Amino acid sequence: MKKRDARKDYILMAPMALWAIVFVGLSMVYIIAVSFLKSNNAMGFTYQVTGENYAKLLNPTYLRILLSSLSQALCATVCCLAVGYPFGYLMARTKKKTRSVLMILLMAPFWTNALIRIYGWRILLMADGPINLVLTKLGWIQEPLKMLYQEGTVIFGLVYALIPFMILPSYTAAEKLDRSLIDASRDLGARPWQSFITIILPLTTSGILAGCLLVFIPAIGLFFINDLLGGGKLINVGNLIKDVQKTRDLPLMAALGVVLLAVVGLLLYVYQKLGGKSSDLNVF
């Protein structure tokens, strides 16, 4: 019976394994291989193995873009944590009907393409957009506010696009809390903030870690938010890879992609070392 069950498991896993090998594994192998080839400056490469592509990434310009991408992603993650964790925790404590409504409202934006939603914010924040128009009509401002093409606006766009990925893990972790532990701490004289620090926060750390990971990783390379809300003035790693047709250096961009893969792998390693579970990343 055990052998039959094992065979069934292998059969069920085969399509997913095949999908992962073809569409994930082979593409990663291709990118890594190209990153060690020499560019011919014509959107191609020659079959000459070299490590100069990684040496080029030590150029101050590329290092500055990489550090800027990481700091931008970190700032967006902190903002998402500050807003998303309390929201997820409070949502877990509401009644089931209210919780269902909040969940629908949270998931509703995913029914529309993220590019369209960010473009909508671009229209709202333009100098002649609805927000400036209303503020001018009310007499609150004399001249249109410059809200686009600012770093803060790009961070806002990242938070807007990614905050559900912080709320859902936080909600899942908070929902699993044993309320009797909180009640016991209150009975023993603990104040609300003491109960939060000693009981709630440690037991929901897995949700916090998962949310931070799910926000930070995509925030590094969401190039279209920089393009639409930053006007191309703010460049991250995603913008650099996207503009490969301008640089005409495919191996160099492949090397940059490999560096991003290494960063993601390092983050996953740290996540597991801090006690994170892979199941906490399955928020959808």
Side-chain angles (χ1 to χ4, degrees):
M1 291 296 293
K2 290 183 178 180
K3 290 183 178 180
R4 291 181 180 178
D5 293 339
R7 288 177 182 176
K8 289 181 179 180
D9 291 339
Y10 288 138
I11 292 173
L12 293 173
M13 291 173 59
M16 184 61 69
L18 182 62
W19 176 278
I21 292 172
V22 174
F23 294 101
V24 180
L26 292 181
S27 60
M28 290 178 63
V29 171
Y30 173 76
I31 292 173
I32 294 172
V34 171
S35 70
F36 285 101
L37 299 179
K38 191 175 183 62
S39 173
N40 63 1
N41 296 320
M43 285 300 293
F45 47 83
T46 59
Y47 293 97
Q48 181 179 350
V49 179
T50 178
E52 66 179 15
N53 297 311
Y54 291 95
K56 289 179 182 178
L57 294 180
L58 297 177
N59 184 293
T61 300
Y62 294 119
L63 288 176
R64 185 167 57 251
I65 292 174
L66 180 59
L67 291 176
S68 176
S69 302
L70 294 175
S71 63
Q72 195 177 88
L74 180 62
C75 186
T77 302
V78 172
C79 293
C80 284
L81 179 61
V83 177
Y85 178 76
F87 187 93
Y89 176 75
L90 293 175
M91 187 169 70
R93 298 193 62 180
T94 57
K95 297 179 181 179
K96 288 186 177 180
K97 291 184 179 180
T98 306
R99 194 183 307 170
S100 300
V101 173
L102 291 174
M103 186 64 71
I104 292 173
L105 293 175
L106 182 64
M107 299 301 296
F110 285 95
W111 302 341
T112 307
N113 187 276
L115 182 61
I116 296 174
R117 289 186 278 121
I118 295 298
Y119 203 90
W121 274 109
R122 174 184 168 85
I123 295 173
L124 289 173
L125 298 174
M126 289 174 65
D128 56 349
I131 294 178
N132 274 315
L133 181 61
V134 171
L135 293 177
T136 304
K137 291 291 185 182
L138 292 174
W140 292 358
I141 58 174
Q142 300 299 322
E143 296 181 356
L145 298 175
K146 189 177 181 181
M147 294 180 284
L148 282 179
Y149 313 141
Q150 307 292 327
E151 186 173 6
T153 308
V154 174
I155 299 298
F156 168 79
L158 290 172
V159 173
Y160 168 75
L162 298 173
I163 196 168
F165 296 100
M166 180 65 72
I167 294 176
L168 291 175
S170 301
Y171 162 77
T172 302
E175 192 181 28
K176 296 176 182 178
L177 272 176
D178 187 352
R179 300 296 172 186
S180 62
L181 296 175
I182 301 175
D183 294 335
S185 67
R186 298 285 179 84
D187 292 339
L188 293 172
R191 296 180 179 180
W193 65 269
Q194 291 175 322
S195 296
F196 174 78
I197 293 176
T198 58
I199 303 296
I200 298 173
L201 189 61
L203 293 179
T204 56
T205 300
S206 60
I208 294 174
L209 292 174
C212 290
L213 190 66
L214 290 172
V215 170
F216 186 84
I217 290 176
I220 299 175
L222 279 181
F223 61 86
F224 66 89
I225 294 180
N226 284 49
D227 286 343
L228 293 178
L229 299 184
K233 295 180 180 179
L234 302 172
I235 301 176
N236 65 9
V237 177
N239 295 105
L240 201 59
I241 296 175
K242 174 183 72 73
D243 293 335
V244 63
Q245 291 182 341
K246 296 179 181 179
T247 59
R248 294 185 175 277
D249 197 339
L250 186 60
L252 179 62
M253 296 302 103
L256 191 56
V258 173
V259 171
L260 280 183
L261 287 174
V263 171
V264 172
L266 178 62
L267 291 173
L268 289 172
Y269 175 78
V270 173
Y271 171 75
Q272 291 183 339
K273 285 296 182 180
L274 291 176
K277 302 177 181 177
S278 58
S279 59
D280 293 328
L281 300 175
N282 300 324
V283 294
F284 294 100

